[in-house]
């Protein structure tokens, strides 16, 4: 069985890196975890996981409810009942209900063991309500609690692969009972479940094969559950037995005696003596999880939580969060507390996924780290990894190492993946810009961080050059891309769905840009030129003659194209809120329109590597601005999906950064709050969280480059401590006077920039060197929106066609 060795990069770094002098970081916020609101996005389709996890923990222990689409288990609407407290979740995803394996559930009363209602339908129960009508649930980093209507209080915390639950039964409870549920994952998909109760050691072990959320195939998961009295000796269970549906069989120890049909439910039920003295009874339940075996699940539990010390586990988890979140400091003076909460909550959600599954990969043996819940790279490559570059390069390096190891064993980098199963590809091969982001930012530290640079490059080239047997699950339509320099709409290639050809084309171009950036850093000049050329291929799906029905002010659109070079037609409004036929543009194999989760209008703005070229295609800066304004004013900007995320910042390239500042602030004002419905759409594994965090910091990243677009932060001062460089960079504002609540106007526009006291070449972007060496950036603010990037040759942010990135 594979059993990886966990390399602690932190200690390696301490040993290898000579401490560099950096500016000491001023701590404005010492307990950033206290500003995190985990419930943001837990109603209205946000699908956020609010339970307990360490940063990037494999175990994410939380409440599951019976709402119709509980992708992360929980629903903040108290109308829904609680059906269990399970160990594995994703956060912010779509797809089928992922994971939610091994639900634990407390039972207050049954007339007899045999009469206990143990199925989901029989056991489900409501939550107490608070005065404002919300459920009596509490969550903070590393901790979740709830009061059920029957008076049972639930507490949850966790380590990387083990959950610790505490069920406190009310005083006078005669027979506290606990259910262990083996079959009910989110999708109720268990195949060949097995379970064993050892009454001597009071241990329940079990597992099954379960269905994946967004791809074909299954994964196996195993658990090891043990019990302890909190403050008293729990002893052995007074009753125990396996159950099939609502039939607990006393003293039975295995599920295997039952015949399992497709919809059957099964697990264990245990009865304990109450705590002596008649007061409340608290039972600790330690749940180890493994994807390898029940033995390993037991070992994980014993190693990670040897003494069942709830406060110790919780304190250690919160300390990890505070260390991580505290690396980005914001001065809360002069802003509402809600803004600070919005920032730290957004940063927090950047670190829930991907999850560290090191040592739990059943597919091959390796000493490399293994991260999963890459769900999906399509969502996260734009903002999540660039945010990690600023303050968590060591974890980023481990994720990159895990991705390279997947390529070594499966042939291509992962694009979308959940709990070891390949998931469906949404567009391009977006592992490429993630690896590019890492190498362009950390080339000098890559080796110290354990990243094999040659293998990283080999992995990128595999995506770019080799077509997989099935591009629905990995790689690209590489042959079509190389033959036509776009993905034609009419050629029926075999090997995957012939859909999303335009969005694939623009994403392949961006991925090849990332590869060219890496090639350049590695001194591979021929490849750098070759891939930079391919990065320009987005122009091949630009139809200059296409305009929006009824709009004469501008023309030119990304459009589907035939093999013979002539264009097909997709209404530019397709997939937008104004789509006359109300089409969807998801993974549907009948989607012949060429686009994925974005309209042609949105994709016509997507070429972050060469915005100058887009401006040229769109008829110059003035027309470009006119089009951007039209997109916002006519409600074509779609905050719910990632392809739109850069659009508010694109005015920078037309030398109107003030407008970017205002547009981006309006998006925050309209679409992001700290309420349970405070997200536009799904959080997408932290994609929306990292996006909001960047906007609040007054920055927007260009992945796989050494430039970051600059606006003004929502705070008078923000600072970044980067443990890889051991440096701190501070961005200070002169003239800060708060933020307009609707995002309009205010003394928020950047008039001039100095770096370490010297006038800087641009008001519109910062070079990565600034963050590398640790600098003080000072922004002078004005209330005049008509600011510019500056007048010198380096004032505008770079674009490929105007000689940028060289
Ligand atoms: C649950 O009830 C207890 C006792 O009344 C209270 O202290 C606690 O704040 C309540 N809420 C949660 C989520 O624990
Ligand atoms: C656009 O229209 C012009 C004039 O009708 C024509 O010459 C040109 O070839 C067309 N371009 C494309 C890309 O269809
Ligand atoms: C190109 O191919 C498409 C689809 O087969 C066809 O409709 C169109 O007429 C062709 N154009 C030319 C110029 O041959
Ligand atoms: C900014 O420019 C616009 C358009 O030229 C103009 O109407 C507006 O008055 C200017 N604003 C200020 C504060 O100068």
């Amino acid at each position: 069985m594979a059993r990886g060795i966990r390399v602690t990069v932190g200690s390696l770094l301490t040993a290898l890196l000579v401490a560099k002098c950096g500016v000491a970081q001023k701590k404005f916020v010492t307990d950033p975890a206290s500003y995190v609101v985990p419930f943001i996005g837990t109603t209205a389709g946000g699908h956020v996981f609010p339970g307990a996890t360490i940063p990037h923990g494999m175990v994410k222990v939380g409440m599951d409810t019976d709402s119709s689409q509980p992708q992360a288990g929980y629903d903040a609407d108290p109308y829904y009942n609680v059906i269990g407290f399970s160990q594995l979740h994703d956060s912010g995803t779509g797809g089928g209900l992922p994971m939610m394996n091994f639900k634990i559930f407390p039972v207050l009363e049954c007339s007899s063991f045999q009469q206990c209602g143990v199925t989901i339908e029989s056991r489900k129960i409501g939550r107490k309500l608070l005065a404002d009508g919300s459920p009596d649930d509490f969550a903070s980093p590393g901790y979740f609690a709830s009061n059920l209507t029957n008076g049972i209080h639930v507490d949850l915390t966790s380590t990387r692969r083990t959950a610790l639950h505490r069920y406190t039964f009310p005083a006078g409870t005669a027979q506290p009972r606990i259910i262990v549920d083996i079959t009910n994952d989110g999708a109720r998909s268990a195949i060949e479940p097995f379970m064993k109760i050892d009454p001597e050691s009071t241990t329940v072990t079990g597992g099954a094969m379960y269905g994946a959320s967004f791809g074909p195939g299954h994964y196996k998961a195993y658990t090891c559950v043990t019990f302890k009295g909190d403050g008293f000796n729990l002893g052995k269970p007074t009753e125990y037995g396996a159950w099939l549906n609502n039939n607990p069989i006393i003293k039975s120890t295995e599920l295997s005696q039952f015949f399992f049909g497709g919809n059957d439910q099964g697990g264990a039920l245990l009865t304990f003596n109450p705590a002596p003295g008649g007061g409340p009874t608290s039972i600790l339940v330690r749940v180890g999880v493994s994807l390898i075996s029940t033995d390993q699940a037991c070992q994980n539990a014993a190693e990670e939580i040897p003494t069942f010390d709830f406060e110790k586990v919780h304190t250690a988890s919160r300390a990890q969060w505070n260390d991580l979140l505290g690396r980005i400091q914001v001065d809360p003076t002069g802003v509402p507390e809600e803004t600070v909460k919005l920032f730290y909550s957004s940063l927090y959600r950047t670190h829930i996924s991907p999850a560290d599954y090191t040592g739990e990969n059943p597919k091959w043996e390796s000493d490399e780290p293994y991260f999963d819940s890459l769900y999906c790279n399509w969502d996260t490559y734009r903002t999540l990894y660039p945010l990690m570059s600023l303050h968590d390069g060591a974890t980023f390096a481990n994720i990159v190492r895990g991705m390279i190891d997947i390529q070594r064993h499966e042939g291509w980098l992962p694009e979308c993946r959940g709990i070891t199963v390949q998931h469906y590809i949404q567009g391009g091969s977006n592992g490429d810009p993630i690896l590019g982001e890492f190498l362009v930012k950390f080339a000098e530290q890559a080796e110290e961080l354990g990243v094999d640079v040659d293998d990283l490059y080999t992995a990128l080239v595999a995506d770019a050059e080799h077509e997989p047997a099935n591009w629905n699950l990995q790689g690209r339509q590489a042959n079509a891309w190389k033959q036509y320099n776009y993905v034609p709409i009419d050629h029926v290639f075999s090997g995957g769905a012939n859909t999303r050809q335009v969005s694939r084309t623009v994403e392949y171009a961006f991925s090849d840009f990332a590869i060219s950036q890496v090639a350049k850093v590695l001194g591979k000049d021929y490849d750098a030129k070759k891939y930079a050329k391919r990065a320009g291929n987005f122009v091949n799906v630009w139809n200059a003659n296409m305009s929006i029905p009824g709009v004469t002010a501008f023309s030119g659109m990304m459009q589907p194209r035939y093999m013979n070079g002539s264009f097909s037609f997709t209404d530019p409004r397709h997939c937008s809120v104004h789509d006359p036929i109300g089409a969807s543009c998801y993974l549907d194999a009948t989607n012949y329109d060429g686009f994925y989760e974005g309209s042609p209008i949105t994709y016509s703005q997507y070429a972050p590597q060469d915005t100058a070229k887009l401006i040229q295609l769109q008829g110059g800066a003035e027309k470009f601005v006119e089009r951007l304004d039209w997109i916002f004013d006519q409600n074509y900007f779609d905050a719910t999906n990632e392809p739109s995320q850069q659009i508010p910042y694109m005015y920078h390239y037309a030398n109107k950064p003030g407008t970017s500042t205002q547009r981006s602030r309006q998006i925050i004002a309209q679409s992001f709050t700290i309420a349970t419905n405070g997200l536009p759409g799904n959080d997408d594994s932290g994609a929306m969280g990292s996006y909001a965090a960047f906007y609040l910091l007054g920055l927007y990243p260009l992945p796989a480059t050494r430039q970051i677009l600059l606006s003004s932060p929502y705070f008078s001062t923000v600072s970044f401590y980067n443990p890889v460089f051991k440096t701190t960079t501070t961005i200070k504002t002169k003239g800060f006077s708060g933020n307009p609540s609707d995002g309009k106007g205010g003394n928020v526009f950047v008039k001039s920039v100095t770096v370490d006291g010297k006038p800087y070449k641009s008001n519109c972007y910062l070079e990565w060197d600034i963050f590398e060496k640790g600098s003080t950036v000072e922004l002078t603010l004005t209330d005049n929106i008509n600011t510019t990037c500056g007048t010198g040759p380096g004032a505008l942010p770079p674009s490929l066609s105007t000689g940028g990135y060289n």
Side-chain angles (χ1 to χ4, degrees):
M1 291 276 126
R3 193 161 292 168
I5 297 164
R6 190 160 159 71
V7 180
T8 58
V9 174
S11 58
L12 203 68
L13 264 185
T14 320
L16 289 172
L17 285 183
V18 182
K20 294 182 194 167
C21 315
V23 192
Q25 191 186 29
K26 182 165 180 189
K27 290 255 162 104
F28 298 104
V29 173
T30 51
D31 184 21
S34 64
Y35 289 100
V36 173
V37 183
F39 291 116
I40 295 171
T42 56
T43 55
H47 297 172
V48 167
F49 169 74
T53 181
I54 62 166
H56 305 281
M58 177 175 106
V59 159
K60 301 190 205 302
V61 57
M63 172 188 282
D64 297 336
T65 58
D66 62 355
S67 58
S68 62
Q69 290 214 314
Q71 259 74 3
Y74 184 83
D75 198 308
D77 183 340
Y79 172 81
Y80 297 109
N81 287 301
V82 184
I83 59 172
F85 298 90
S86 70
Q87 326 308 319
L88 296 172
H89 293 90
D90 275 331
S91 184
T93 65
L97 300 185
M99 307 194 276
M100 300 178 218
N101 303 74
F102 310 128
K103 297 184 206 303
I104 305 293
F105 204 76
V107 182
L108 183 64
E109 270 165 3
C110 345
S111 53
S112 72
F113 185 88
Q114 289 85 342
Q115 297 297 314
C116 278
V118 286
T119 60
I120 281 182
E121 298 73 18
S122 306
R123 73 196 187 212
K124 65 184 181 182
I125 191 164
R127 291 162 277 179
K128 282 188 177 166
L129 298 183
L130 296 170
D132 67 357
S134 66
D136 190 0
D137 298 330
F138 175 84
S140 63
Y143 181 70
F144 183 93
S146 180
N147 286 314
L148 307 179
T149 51
N150 59 8
I152 294 178
H153 176 75
V154 184
D155 275 306
L156 307 170
T157 189
S158 68
T159 55
R160 184 166 72 92
R161 292 177 288 181
T162 308
L164 191 58
H165 305 223
R166 181 166 57 193
Y167 297 98
T168 303
F169 295 79
T173 302
Q175 293 188 301
R177 291 188 170 97
I178 308 263
I179 294 169
V180 177
D181 185 335
I182 298 294
T183 62
N184 286 304
D185 63 323
R188 292 175 72 161
S189 67
I191 298 170
E192 294 176 16
F194 70 95
M195 185 207 68
K196 192 169 168 42
I197 305 170
D198 176 4
E200 286 309 305
S201 63
T202 321
T203 302
V204 179
T205 50
M209 194 149 79
Y210 304 93
S213 165
F214 193 57
H218 292 81
Y219 65 95
K220 288 181 181 167
Y222 305 92
T223 192
C224 176
V225 187
T226 44
F227 306 81
K228 193 169 184 287
D230 191 15
F232 71 103
N233 182 2
L234 186 64
K236 290 180 191 167
T238 57
E239 299 165 324
Y240 59 84
W243 51 272
L244 171 71
N245 300 325
N246 269 333
N247 301 305
I249 313 288
I250 201 153
K251 282 198 161 58
S252 62
T253 57
E254 301 203 21
L255 274 185
S256 56
Q257 62 191 313
F258 301 133
F259 172 77
F260 264 88
N263 220 10
D264 284 340
Q265 305 180 43
L269 177 65
L270 301 98
T271 312
F272 295 98
N273 276 321
T281 295
S282 285
I283 299 177
L284 292 156
V285 185
R286 187 182 70 181
V287 189
V289 180
S290 172
L291 306 185
I292 305 291
S293 66
T294 54
D295 281 355
Q296 185 156 325
C298 292
Q299 194 182 318
N300 292 344
E303 277 172 20
E304 294 180 5
I305 310 186
T307 62
F308 288 70
D309 187 337
F310 194 96
E311 294 320 320
K312 191 174 167 190
V313 172
H314 172 202
T315 303
S317 178
R318 189 177 175 103
Q320 282 192 59
W321 279 111
N322 270 331
D323 167 56
L324 183 59
L325 301 174
R327 293 174 196 170
I328 303 187
Q329 287 283 326
V330 301
D331 184 349
T333 315
V335 296
E337 189 175 74
E338 186 171 332
T339 309
V340 184
K341 287 183 168 172
L342 184 61
F343 173 71
Y344 279 113
S345 304
S346 303
L347 182 59
Y348 169 80
R349 292 201 312 279
T350 301
H351 296 286
I352 296 179
S353 296
D356 185 350
Y357 283 45
T358 303
E360 298 296 338
N361 179 4
K363 298 192 166 169
W364 60 82
E365 285 200 43
S366 173
D367 292 342
E368 284 299 281
Y370 178 64
F371 280 69
D372 212 298
S373 288
L374 301 157
Y375 194 177
C376 303
N377 288 344
W378 183 86
D379 301 278
T380 54
Y381 80 90
R382 297 170 174 84
T383 54
L384 189 137
Y385 294 97
L387 188 53
M388 263 190 174
S389 290
L390 286 167
H391 70 291
D392 197 16
T395 305
F396 188 10
N398 282 352
I399 295 168
V400 164
R401 287 171 63 177
M403 286 176 54
I404 295 170
D405 209 40
I406 289 172
Q407 189 278 328
R408 279 186 201 113
H409 290 88
E410 296 184 356
W412 288 268
L413 286 167
E415 163 55 29
C416 197
R417 195 179 184 91
I419 191 157
T420 76
V421 180
Q422 291 177 344
H423 284 14
Y424 294 117
I425 283 182
Q426 305 194 61
S429 47
N430 297 309
D432 303 346
I434 295 173
L435 267 55
E437 167 68 12
F438 177 80
L439 198 84
V440 168
K441 299 262 166 72
F442 298 106
E444 276 177 42
Q445 295 76 25
E447 199 183 328
E448 291 153 7
L449 292 166
V451 175
D452 185 317
V453 172
D454 293 333
D455 287 4
L456 180 146
Y457 194 68
T458 302
L460 292 174
V461 171
D463 274 349
E465 301 297 334
H466 308 306
E467 185 159 296
N470 181 353
W471 66 74
N472 286 342
L473 297 172
Q474 53 182 178
R476 312 183 188 174
Q477 283 182 265
N479 294 340
W481 177 237
K482 286 190 284 185
Q483 186 179 343
Y484 296 94
N485 298 314
Y486 57 96
V487 182
I489 190 132
D490 54 338
H491 193 318
V492 179
F493 301 93
S494 67
N498 288 284
T499 62
R500 296 161 274 156
Q501 295 87 348
V502 181
S503 41
R504 282 182 203 270
T505 296
V506 302
E507 287 180 24
Y508 291 177
F510 187 69
S511 289
D512 282 348
F513 166 70
I515 299 172
S516 77
Q517 289 279 91
V518 172
K520 202 171 58 190
V521 170
L522 301 181
K524 298 176 191 291
D525 296 342
Y526 175 84
D527 280 15
K529 286 204 183 75
K530 168 182 164 182
Y531 290 113
K533 186 157 181 277
R534 281 165 56 162
N537 282 346
F538 65 91
V539 301
N540 296 332
V541 288
W542 183 264
N543 181 352
N545 292 353
M546 173 59 52
S547 50
I548 300 159
V551 179
T552 51
F554 49 85
S555 66
M557 279 291 152
M558 301 285 183
Q559 284 286 292
R561 197 169 190 187
Y562 297 116
M563 285 182 290
N564 62 19
S566 59
F567 281 99
S568 173
F569 169 76
T570 293
D571 189 316
R573 300 165 298 181
H574 173 71
C575 230
S576 75
V577 290
H578 303 298
D579 185 346
I581 60 167
S584 87
C585 48
Y586 294 96
L587 277 186
D588 194 341
T590 61
N591 165 4
Y592 293 123
D593 303 295
F595 295 88
Y596 183 74
E597 288 195 16
S599 64
I601 294 167
T602 295
Y603 275 101
S604 295
Q605 302 306 116
Y606 193 77
Q609 71 275 31
D610 202 351
T611 305
K613 186 73 190 178
L614 283 181
I615 291 177
Q616 189 200 328
L617 292 170
Q618 294 180 13
E622 215 167 292
K623 282 275 171 202
F624 178 76
V625 166
E626 204 179 318
R627 184 187 290 231
L628 288 173
D629 285 343
W630 182 89
I631 288 173
F632 289 104
D633 297 343
Q634 302 301 316
N635 196 18
Y636 279 97
F637 177 76
D638 175 8
T640 68
N641 280 314
E642 288 76 5
S644 302
Q645 286 178 335
Q646 194 193 4
I647 294 176
Y649 264 83
M650 292 180 83
Y651 294 92
H652 271 54
Y653 294 87
N655 211 8
K656 292 178 78 70
T659 313
S660 297
T661 299
Q662 178 157 302
R663 291 287 187 199
S664 62
R665 284 167 172 261
Q666 287 176 305
I667 298 309
I668 292 289
Q670 287 155 15
S671 300
F672 291 89
T673 73
I674 61 168
T676 56
N677 64 356
L679 279 184
N682 305 155
D683 191 51
D684 289 328
S685 299
M688 289 294 163
S690 50
Y691 166 57
F694 266 119
Y695 274 27
L696 293 166
L697 290 166
L699 297 169
Y700 191 80
L702 297 167
T705 76
R706 290 174 67 84
Q707 287 79 28
I708 298 180
L709 300 181
L710 176 69
S711 173
S712 67
Y714 277 59
F715 309 95
S716 64
T717 302
V718 299
S719 75
F720 307 85
Y721 173 65
N722 193 317
V724 173
F725 304 134
K726 294 191 165 38
T727 58
T728 296
T729 297
T730 302
I731 301 178
K732 288 183 178 168
T733 55
K734 264 206 257 185
F736 181 80
S737 60
N739 307 299
S741 61
D742 62 356
K744 244 186 139 173
N747 197 53
V748 298
F749 305 108
V750 178
K751 190 175 163 192
S752 63
V753 178
T754 64
V755 175
D756 293 332
K758 296 195 195 77
Y760 194 59
K761 64 180 175 184
S762 173
N763 301 327
C764 282
Y765 68 99
L766 298 174
E767 297 281 350
W768 180 246
D769 310 40
I770 289 170
F771 295 91
E772 215 169 41
K773 67 177 201 287
S775 316
T776 300
V777 179
E778 198 161 34
L779 313 179
T780 302
L781 302 179
T782 166
D783 61 4
N784 186 346
I785 194 172
N786 298 329
T787 52
T788 69
C789 293
T791 50
L796 288 181
S799 286
L800 265 183
S801 61
T802 50
Y805 310 109
N806 272 319

